[in-house]
Amino acid sequence: MDSLLSLAFDNLSCYDNGKIRKGLRQVDGLLAQICLSRGARLTAAADKRRSMMTPSVAVPSAAAKDLAALQEDLAFRQFFRLQDGFEWNVALRLITCLDRLLGKGSNGQNDLLILSTLDLLQAMLLLHPPSRSLFARELYLNLLLDLLEPSNCPAIQSATLRTLTSALLDQPRNTRTFESVDGLLAITSLYKQRAGASSSRDVRRTLVEFLYFYLMPEVAPTTAPPVTALGVMPPPDAASLRTSPTKDGGRDRKGGGGSGSGSGSGSGSGSGSSAGEAVREIQATRLVVKSTEEKQLLLGRYLANVDELVWEWYESAPFGVMLC
Protein backbone atom coordinates (compact mmCIF):
# COMPACT_ATOMS: atom_id res chain seq x y z
CA MET A 1 0.00 0.00 0.00
CA ASP A 2 2.88 2.36 0.72
CA SER A 3 4.15 1.89 -2.84
CA LEU A 4 0.73 2.91 -4.20
CA LEU A 5 0.73 5.99 -1.99
CA SER A 6 4.28 6.84 -3.02
CA LEU A 7 3.31 6.75 -6.69
CA ALA A 8 0.26 8.95 -6.06
CA PHE A 9 2.29 11.41 -3.97
CA ASP A 10 4.89 11.74 -6.74
CA ASN A 11 2.15 12.77 -9.16
CA LEU A 12 0.48 15.12 -6.69
CA SER A 13 3.78 16.92 -6.11
CA CYS A 14 4.16 17.76 -9.83
CA TYR A 15 3.25 21.10 -11.36
CA ASP A 16 1.82 19.51 -14.49
CA ASN A 17 -1.98 19.36 -14.33
CA GLY A 18 -2.04 16.01 -16.09
CA LYS A 19 0.19 14.44 -13.45
CA ILE A 20 -1.85 16.01 -10.65
CA ARG A 21 -5.06 14.66 -12.18
CA LYS A 22 -3.48 11.21 -12.36
CA GLY A 23 -2.39 11.44 -8.71
CA LEU A 24 -5.90 12.43 -7.62
CA ARG A 25 -7.37 9.48 -9.53
CA GLN A 26 -4.87 7.14 -7.87
CA VAL A 27 -5.85 8.36 -4.41
CA ASP A 28 -9.52 8.11 -5.32
CA GLY A 29 -9.02 4.57 -6.61
CA LEU A 30 -7.20 3.53 -3.44
CA LEU A 31 -9.98 4.90 -1.24
CA ALA A 32 -12.54 3.09 -3.39
CA GLN A 33 -10.63 -0.17 -2.99
CA ILE A 34 -10.68 0.28 0.78
CA CYS A 35 -14.19 1.61 1.33
CA LEU A 36 -16.18 -0.44 -1.19
CA SER A 37 -16.76 -4.15 -0.96
CA ARG A 38 -15.30 -6.30 -3.74
CA GLY A 39 -18.72 -7.12 -5.15
CA ALA A 40 -19.68 -3.45 -5.18
CA ARG A 41 -16.45 -2.52 -6.97
CA LEU A 42 -17.00 -5.13 -9.68
CA THR A 43 -20.62 -4.05 -10.12
CA ALA A 44 -19.64 -0.38 -10.28
CA ALA A 45 -16.95 -1.09 -12.89
CA ALA A 46 -19.37 -3.10 -15.03
CA ASP A 47 -22.03 -0.39 -14.77
CA LYS A 48 -19.51 2.27 -15.74
CA ARG A 49 -18.45 0.30 -18.83
CA ARG A 50 -22.11 -0.23 -19.73
CA SER A 51 -22.87 3.48 -19.36
CA MET A 52 -19.96 4.36 -21.65
CA MET A 53 -21.47 2.17 -24.37
CA THR A 54 -25.02 3.39 -23.65
CA PRO A 55 -24.87 7.00 -22.39
CA SER A 56 -28.56 7.02 -21.46
CA VAL A 57 -27.98 4.36 -18.80
CA ALA A 58 -27.45 5.92 -15.38
CA VAL A 59 -24.60 4.57 -13.23
CA PRO A 60 -25.89 3.58 -9.76
CA SER A 61 -23.73 4.34 -6.76
CA ALA A 62 -21.78 1.38 -5.40
CA ALA A 63 -22.58 0.13 -1.94
CA ALA A 64 -20.06 1.22 0.67
CA LYS A 65 -19.00 -0.90 3.61
CA ASP A 66 -20.64 0.00 6.88
CA LEU A 67 -18.52 1.19 9.80
CA ALA A 68 -18.54 -2.18 11.56
CA ALA A 69 -17.25 -3.93 8.43
CA LEU A 70 -14.72 -1.18 7.69
CA GLN A 71 -13.08 -1.37 11.10
CA GLU A 72 -12.45 -5.10 10.65
CA ASP A 73 -10.96 -4.68 7.19
CA LEU A 74 -7.22 -5.33 7.33
CA ALA A 75 -6.52 -3.07 4.36
CA PHE A 76 -8.33 -0.17 5.99
CA ARG A 77 -6.56 -0.71 9.32
CA GLN A 78 -3.21 -0.70 7.55
CA PHE A 79 -4.18 2.45 5.66
CA PHE A 80 -5.39 4.10 8.88
CA ARG A 81 -2.09 3.35 10.63
CA LEU A 82 -0.12 4.79 7.73
CA GLN A 83 -2.12 8.01 8.06
CA ASP A 84 -0.95 8.47 11.64
CA GLY A 85 2.47 9.60 10.41
CA PHE A 86 3.46 12.56 8.26
CA GLU A 87 5.27 10.49 5.63
CA TRP A 88 2.14 8.74 4.30
CA ASN A 89 -0.57 11.17 5.39
CA VAL A 90 -2.84 11.74 2.37
CA ALA A 91 -4.57 14.82 3.82
CA LEU A 92 -1.26 16.65 4.17
CA ARG A 93 -0.32 15.90 0.55
CA LEU A 94 -3.73 17.06 -0.65
CA ILE A 95 -3.36 20.31 1.28
CA THR A 96 0.04 20.91 -0.34
CA CYS A 97 -1.44 20.11 -3.76
CA LEU A 98 -4.33 22.48 -3.10
CA ASP A 99 -1.91 25.28 -2.25
CA ARG A 100 -0.06 24.69 -5.51
CA LEU A 101 -3.27 24.69 -7.53
CA LEU A 102 -4.46 27.88 -5.87
CA GLY A 103 -1.27 29.61 -6.95
CA LYS A 104 -1.97 28.83 -10.61
CA GLY A 105 -4.97 31.12 -10.83
CA SER A 106 -8.53 30.44 -11.89
CA ASN A 107 -9.38 28.61 -15.11
CA GLY A 108 -11.65 25.74 -16.09
CA GLN A 109 -9.10 22.91 -15.86
CA ASN A 110 -7.57 24.21 -12.65
CA ASP A 111 -10.98 24.67 -11.02
CA LEU A 112 -11.88 21.04 -11.75
CA LEU A 113 -8.65 19.89 -10.11
CA ILE A 114 -9.35 22.06 -7.06
CA LEU A 115 -12.83 20.56 -6.77
CA SER A 116 -11.44 17.01 -6.97
CA THR A 117 -8.79 17.82 -4.37
CA LEU A 118 -11.36 19.31 -1.99
CA ASP A 119 -13.63 16.28 -2.36
CA LEU A 120 -10.77 13.89 -1.57
CA LEU A 121 -9.60 16.05 1.32
CA GLN A 122 -13.08 16.02 2.83
CA ALA A 123 -13.20 12.24 2.42
CA MET A 124 -9.84 11.85 4.17
CA LEU A 125 -10.88 14.07 7.08
CA LEU A 126 -13.96 11.88 7.57
CA LEU A 127 -12.14 8.57 7.10
CA HIS A 128 -9.18 9.53 9.30
CA PRO A 129 -10.41 11.97 11.96
CA PRO A 130 -6.93 12.51 13.47
CA SER A 131 -5.89 14.27 10.25
CA ARG A 132 -8.23 17.09 11.25
CA SER A 133 -5.64 18.19 13.79
CA LEU A 134 -3.60 19.55 10.86
CA PHE A 135 -6.12 22.39 10.61
CA ALA A 136 -5.21 23.73 14.02
CA ARG A 137 -2.46 25.49 12.06
CA GLU A 138 -3.33 28.94 10.74
CA LEU A 139 -1.52 28.26 7.48
CA TYR A 140 -3.84 25.44 6.45
CA LEU A 141 -7.03 27.13 7.60
CA ASN A 142 -6.10 30.30 5.73
CA LEU A 143 -5.73 28.18 2.60
CA LEU A 144 -9.39 27.14 2.85
CA LEU A 145 -10.49 30.69 3.60
CA ASP A 146 -8.66 31.88 0.45
CA LEU A 147 -10.88 29.54 -1.56
CA LEU A 148 -13.95 31.39 -0.28
CA GLU A 149 -12.89 34.59 -2.04
CA PRO A 150 -15.45 36.01 -4.53
CA SER A 151 -13.01 35.35 -7.38
CA ASN A 152 -13.62 31.62 -7.02
CA CYS A 153 -16.62 29.94 -8.60
CA PRO A 154 -19.66 28.93 -6.47
CA ALA A 155 -18.84 25.22 -6.86
CA ILE A 156 -15.42 25.72 -5.26
CA GLN A 157 -16.92 27.83 -2.48
CA SER A 158 -19.51 25.14 -1.66
CA ALA A 159 -16.89 22.37 -1.71
CA THR A 160 -14.61 24.46 0.51
CA LEU A 161 -17.39 25.00 3.05
CA ARG A 162 -18.01 21.25 3.23
CA THR A 163 -14.30 20.57 3.67
CA LEU A 164 -14.07 23.28 6.33
CA THR A 165 -16.94 21.67 8.23
CA SER A 166 -15.10 18.34 8.19
CA ALA A 167 -11.90 20.03 9.37
CA LEU A 168 -13.62 21.63 12.39
CA LEU A 169 -15.78 18.62 13.29
CA ASP A 170 -15.13 17.58 16.91
CA GLN A 171 -12.02 19.81 17.01
CA PRO A 172 -12.42 22.76 19.42
CA ARG A 173 -8.82 23.87 18.91
CA ASN A 174 -9.32 24.05 15.16
CA THR A 175 -12.42 26.15 15.74
CA ARG A 176 -10.47 28.56 17.94
CA THR A 177 -7.85 28.87 15.19
CA PHE A 178 -10.66 29.45 12.69
CA GLU A 179 -11.95 32.31 14.86
CA SER A 180 -8.47 33.79 15.37
CA VAL A 181 -7.80 34.07 11.62
CA ASP A 182 -11.10 35.94 11.06
CA GLY A 183 -12.85 32.90 9.70
CA LEU A 184 -16.21 34.19 10.91
CA LEU A 185 -15.63 37.43 9.03
CA ALA A 186 -14.91 35.50 5.82
CA ILE A 187 -17.99 33.31 6.25
CA THR A 188 -20.38 36.13 7.08
CA SER A 189 -19.00 38.35 4.29
CA LEU A 190 -19.71 35.59 1.80
CA TYR A 191 -23.13 35.06 3.38
CA LYS A 192 -24.03 38.72 2.82
CA GLN A 193 -22.65 38.76 -0.72
CA ARG A 194 -24.63 35.69 -1.71
CA ALA A 195 -27.92 36.91 -0.24
CA GLY A 196 -30.52 37.02 -2.99
CA ALA A 197 -28.18 35.72 -5.69
CA SER A 198 -30.16 33.09 -7.60
CA SER A 199 -27.02 31.70 -9.25
CA SER A 200 -25.50 30.68 -5.91
CA ARG A 201 -28.34 29.10 -3.96
CA ASP A 202 -26.19 26.07 -3.24
CA VAL A 203 -23.51 28.31 -1.71
CA ARG A 204 -26.03 30.12 0.46
CA ARG A 205 -27.58 26.84 1.60
CA THR A 206 -24.14 25.46 2.46
CA LEU A 207 -23.32 28.69 4.30
CA VAL A 208 -26.45 28.36 6.46
CA GLU A 209 -25.59 24.72 7.17
CA PHE A 210 -22.08 25.76 8.20
CA LEU A 211 -23.40 28.45 10.53
CA TYR A 212 -25.77 25.90 12.10
CA PHE A 213 -22.81 23.57 12.53
CA TYR A 214 -20.64 26.31 14.04
CA LEU A 215 -23.32 27.15 16.63
CA MET A 216 -23.33 23.61 18.02
CA PRO A 217 -21.99 23.41 21.60
CA GLU A 218 -18.56 21.85 21.91
CA VAL A 219 -17.64 18.90 24.10
CA ALA A 220 -14.12 18.34 25.41
CA PRO A 221 -12.68 14.79 25.31
CA THR A 222 -12.98 12.84 28.56
CA THR A 223 -10.50 10.03 27.83
CA ALA A 224 -6.78 10.16 27.14
CA PRO A 225 -5.91 9.14 23.56
CA PRO A 226 -2.64 7.35 22.75
CA VAL A 227 -0.07 9.61 21.12
CA THR A 228 1.27 8.81 17.63
CA ALA A 229 3.49 10.57 15.09
CA LEU A 230 0.67 12.97 14.21
CA GLY A 231 -0.14 13.39 17.89
CA VAL A 232 -3.43 11.56 17.52
CA MET A 233 -4.95 8.19 18.28
CA PRO A 234 -4.83 4.92 16.28
CA PRO A 235 -7.99 3.09 15.14
CA PRO A 236 -8.73 0.36 17.74
CA ASP A 237 -12.48 0.24 17.10
CA ALA A 238 -15.48 1.89 15.47
CA ALA A 239 -15.76 4.53 18.19
CA SER A 240 -12.36 5.90 17.16
CA LEU A 241 -13.69 6.48 13.64
CA ARG A 242 -16.66 8.49 14.90
CA THR A 243 -14.85 10.77 17.32
CA SER A 244 -11.25 11.88 17.68
CA PRO A 245 -9.89 13.90 20.63
CA THR A 246 -7.79 16.81 19.45
CA LYS A 247 -4.02 16.65 19.54
CA ASP A 248 -1.74 19.08 17.80
CA GLY A 249 1.60 18.58 19.48
CA GLY A 250 2.98 16.55 16.56
CA ARG A 251 2.49 19.31 13.98
CA ASP A 252 5.61 21.15 15.10
CA ARG A 253 7.63 18.08 14.21
CA LYS A 254 6.81 18.42 10.50
CA GLY A 255 10.24 19.78 9.74
CA GLY A 256 11.92 16.85 11.46
CA GLY A 257 10.79 14.29 8.90
CA GLY A 258 14.02 12.32 9.24
CA SER A 259 13.36 11.25 12.79
CA GLY A 260 9.72 10.51 12.03
CA SER A 261 10.35 8.24 9.05
CA GLY A 262 10.64 5.19 11.28
CA SER A 263 7.19 5.10 12.82
CA GLY A 264 7.97 2.15 15.04
CA SER A 265 10.99 3.72 16.72
CA GLY A 266 9.24 7.07 17.09
CA SER A 267 6.24 5.63 18.88
CA GLY A 268 8.38 3.49 21.14
CA SER A 269 10.66 6.29 22.31
CA GLY A 270 7.74 8.46 23.33
CA SER A 271 5.72 5.78 25.11
CA GLY A 272 6.94 6.79 28.55
CA SER A 273 5.61 10.33 28.35
CA SER A 274 2.58 9.79 26.07
CA ALA A 275 0.13 9.20 28.92
CA GLY A 276 1.00 12.44 30.71
CA GLU A 277 1.04 14.31 27.41
CA ALA A 278 -2.45 13.03 26.56
CA VAL A 279 -3.80 14.07 29.97
CA ARG A 280 -2.36 17.56 29.54
CA GLU A 281 -3.97 17.67 26.10
CA ILE A 282 -7.40 16.93 27.57
CA GLN A 283 -6.97 19.61 30.21
CA ALA A 284 -5.90 22.15 27.59
CA THR A 285 -8.78 21.27 25.29
CA ARG A 286 -11.32 21.73 28.09
CA LEU A 287 -10.16 25.33 28.36
CA VAL A 288 -10.96 26.15 24.73
CA VAL A 289 -14.44 24.65 24.32
CA LYS A 290 -17.31 27.10 23.89
CA SER A 291 -21.05 26.93 24.34
CA THR A 292 -23.68 28.00 21.83
CA GLU A 293 -24.23 31.23 23.77
CA GLU A 294 -20.54 32.16 23.58
CA LYS A 295 -20.44 31.46 19.86
CA GLN A 296 -23.62 33.46 19.38
CA LEU A 297 -21.94 36.50 20.89
CA LEU A 298 -18.95 36.11 18.57
CA LEU A 299 -21.12 35.66 15.51
CA GLY A 300 -23.18 38.69 16.53
CA ARG A 301 -20.18 40.90 15.79
CA TYR A 302 -20.60 40.14 12.09
CA LEU A 303 -24.30 39.33 11.63
CA ALA A 304 -27.28 41.38 12.78
CA ASN A 305 -29.82 38.54 12.70
CA VAL A 306 -27.95 35.99 14.82
CA ASP A 307 -30.86 35.61 17.28
CA GLU A 308 -33.15 34.65 14.42
CA LEU A 309 -30.55 32.24 13.08
CA VAL A 310 -30.18 30.58 16.49
CA TRP A 311 -33.94 30.31 16.87
CA GLU A 312 -34.21 28.62 13.45
CA TRP A 313 -31.37 26.32 14.44
CA TYR A 314 -33.16 25.21 17.61
CA GLU A 315 -36.46 24.82 15.78
CA SER A 316 -35.19 22.86 12.80
CA ALA A 317 -32.57 20.72 14.64
CA PRO A 318 -30.76 20.13 11.32
CA PHE A 319 -28.30 17.64 12.79
CA GLY A 320 -30.77 15.74 14.96
CA VAL A 321 -29.46 15.44 18.51
CA MET A 322 -27.23 18.44 19.10
CA LEU A 323 -23.91 16.85 19.91
CA CYS A 324 -20.38 17.71 18.86
Side-chain angles (χ1 to χ4, degrees):
M1 184 175 294
D2 52 351
S3 60
L4 295 175
L5 287 174
S6 179
L7 186 61
F9 290 168
D10 287 344
N11 286 320
L12 289 177
S13 62
C14 294
Y15 283 88
D16 178 66
N17 282 358
K19 291 287 186 67
I20 293 176
R21 186 181 299 107
K22 184 178 180 180
L24 293 173
R25 288 177 178 173
Q26 289 169 330
V27 173
D28 183 66
L30 179 59
L31 295 183
Q33 290 285 330
I34 293 172
C35 297
L36 298 178
S37 62
R38 185 175 184 274
R41 292 199 302 271
L42 294 176
T43 302
D47 289 337
K48 186 174 182 180
R49 287 194 298 270
R50 194 178 306 116
S51 67
M52 291 175 67
M53 293 183 293
T54 311
S56 60
V57 176
V59 179
S61 58
K65 299 176 184 175
D66 59 27
L67 188 59
L70 196 60
Q71 67 166 4
E72 298 299 332
D73 187 274
L74 293 179
F76 178 75
R77 293 177 69 85
Q78 180 189 1
F79 176 76
F80 201 107
R81 279 190 289 269
L82 286 174
Q83 298 311 295
D84 285 339
F86 284 108
E87 184 179 4
W88 303 112
N89 187 268
V90 175
L92 186 60
R93 302 300 180 120
L94 291 173
I95 292 171
T96 305
C97 178
L98 195 60
D99 183 45
R100 191 178 305 112
L101 290 171
L102 189 58
K104 290 185 175 183
S106 179
N107 59 68
Q109 292 292 328
N110 205 53
D111 287 352
L112 289 175
L113 290 176
I114 290 176
L115 284 171
S116 297
T117 306
L118 286 170
D119 287 342
L120 285 174
L121 180 56
Q122 181 189 13
M124 280 307 308
L125 295 177
L126 295 175
L127 275 176
H128 185 254
S131 290
R132 299 171 197 164
S133 62
L134 294 168
F135 284 93
R137 297 188 62 179
E138 294 185 0
L139 176 66
Y140 298 150
L141 266 179
N142 274 321
L143 178 63
L144 293 182
L145 295 181
D146 287 343
L147 290 169
L148 296 177
E149 292 291 330
S151 58
N152 292 299
C153 66
I156 287 180
Q157 292 172 335
S158 295
T160 302
L161 287 167
R162 290 190 291 269
T163 304
L164 182 59
T165 301
S166 301
L168 301 185
L169 181 63
D170 198 25
Q171 298 290 324
R173 282 195 169 184
N174 294 11
T175 307
R176 301 293 81 78
T177 304
F178 167 75
E179 294 164 348
S180 69
V181 296
D182 289 332
L184 287 176
L185 176 60
I187 293 293
T188 53
S189 297
L190 183 61
Y191 179 82
K192 294 172 183 176
Q193 291 169 3
R194 293 301 181 183
S198 59
S199 62
S200 56
R201 290 177 180 173
D202 182 61
V203 178
R204 184 165 174 81
R205 181 176 63 251
T206 311
L207 280 166
V208 173
E209 291 172 350
F210 177 84
L211 291 175
Y212 284 161
F213 163 78
Y214 171 76
L215 288 169
M216 293 174 68
E218 298 166 352
V219 179
T222 57
T223 58
V227 178
T228 66
L230 271 182
V232 290
M233 64 180 182
D237 49 34
S240 67
L241 305 182
R242 288 191 293 267
T243 58
S244 61
T246 312
K247 185 73 185 75
D248 69 343
R251 289 191 308 279
D252 294 334
R253 294 193 292 272
K254 179 182 177 183
S259 61
S261 59
S263 58
S265 61
S267 60
S269 62
S271 59
S273 60
S274 62
E277 192 174 344
V279 170
R280 288 192 296 272
E281 171 64 22
I282 291 175
Q283 293 172 344
T285 305
R286 285 174 177 167
L287 297 177
V288 299
V289 296
K290 288 184 178 179
S291 64
T292 296
E293 289 74 18
E294 291 174 309
K295 293 181 176 181
Q296 183 178 350
L297 289 175
L298 279 176
L299 194 56
R301 300 175 183 176
Y302 309 100
L303 278 182
N305 61 336
V306 177
D307 293 339
E308 180 181 348
L309 188 68
V310 172
W311 181 83
E312 291 176 354
W313 173 68
Y314 276 116
E315 286 292 313
S316 60
F319 307 109
V321 180
M322 297 301 182
L323 293 177
C324 264

